[in-house]
Amino acid sequence: MTSMYALNDEQALLAKLRYNRLVDIFTRVTCYPLQSHLRTSVPSLGQVETDEIYIGVDRRGVHYVFPVQAKGKTDRLSIVQIEQDVAMCKHKFPKLICRPIAAQFMPDQLIVLFEFEDGKDSVVIASEKHYRLVPPEEIDEDDLAAYRKRNMDNGDLR
C-alpha cells in the first residue's frame, strides 16, 4: 500500500525500508526503528543528523545500532555523513555494535543498500545489495521455485 502513495524522495525510501523490513533482510538481524531524523551533537563534530536509527538483535543475542542515511534518486551519498553516523553511534550507543547503512533509490524501481565498515583511512563499503519490490500478484510459482533452488544452491538450509 505504501507504494501507491510514496514519492521518490528520502521519506518515501525510509517508509519502504520500514514497511518491507529491508534493513532486517539486508543485515540478517531483527531490527526495530528507534527514531527518525535524529539531530544531536557529538563532541568534536558538533551537530549531526541521521535519517533513521534502527536497533537490532541477532540470533545469538548480540545488539547492534544501524544508523541509516537515505537518498532519493538525484541525491548523492556522502562518506562524511557515514563517518558522522559512526561517531554519533560511538557517543550515543557505546555498548552496541555500529553497522552504518546507506539506502538510495535507483532507476527501474531499484533500491540499493550499502553497509559500511572502518577501512584503513576512512569508512568503506562492506556490502551492497539491490532490491526490487514486487507486488505479490506478480510473483508466480516459477519465481518461488527459483528462490527455493537458489537457497539450496547456497547451502542455506533454513
Side-chain angles (χ1 to χ4, degrees), residues 22 56 62 64-65 97 103 117 120 123 132 138 140 143 148:
L22 288 180
V62 179
Y64 301 89
V65 58
I97 296 170
E117 64 186 12
K120 187 176 182 179
V123 293
R132 179 173 284 114
E138 291 183 22
D140 61 25
D143 293 325
R148 282 192 301 273

Side-chain angles (χ1 to χ4, degrees), residues 113-152:
L113 293 178
F114 301 94
E115 182 175 352
F116 297 86
E117 64 186 12
D118 286 327
K120 187 176 182 179
D121 298 320
S122 174
V123 293
V124 296
I125 295 173
S127 178
E128 175 182 341
K129 299 257 189 223
H130 296 224
Y131 298 92
R132 179 173 284 114
L133 302 178
V134 179
E137 61 273 8
E138 291 183 22
I139 299 173
D140 61 25
E141 289 300 318
D142 292 338
D143 293 325
L144 295 174
Y147 300 149
R148 282 192 301 273
K149 182 177 180 347
R150 187 178 334 164
N151 191 42
M152 298 303 266

Side-chain angles (χ1 to χ4, degrees), residues 16-42:
K16 288 183 178 195
L17 294 179
R18 260 183 256 114
Y19 180 78
N20 293 286
R21 300 200 62 130
L22 288 180
V23 174
D24 301 52
I25 293 166
F26 178 62
T27 63
R28 304 186 110 195
V29 172
T30 302
C31 298
Y32 304 93
L34 181 67
Q35 185 169 345
S36 290
H37 288 82
L38 172 66
R39 184 174 289 177
T40 188
S41 61
V42 176

Side-chain angles (χ1 to χ4, degrees), residues 151-152 154-158:
N151 191 42
M152 298 303 266
N154 289 333
D156 196 357
L157 301 176
R158 280 182 267 145

Side-chain angles (χ1 to χ4, degrees), residues 44-59:
S44 77
L45 284 181
Q47 187 169 308
V48 299
E49 184 175 335
T50 303
D51 291 333
E52 189 118 78
I53 300 287
Y54 284 79
I55 301 298
V57 60
D58 69 16
R59 46 190 212 187

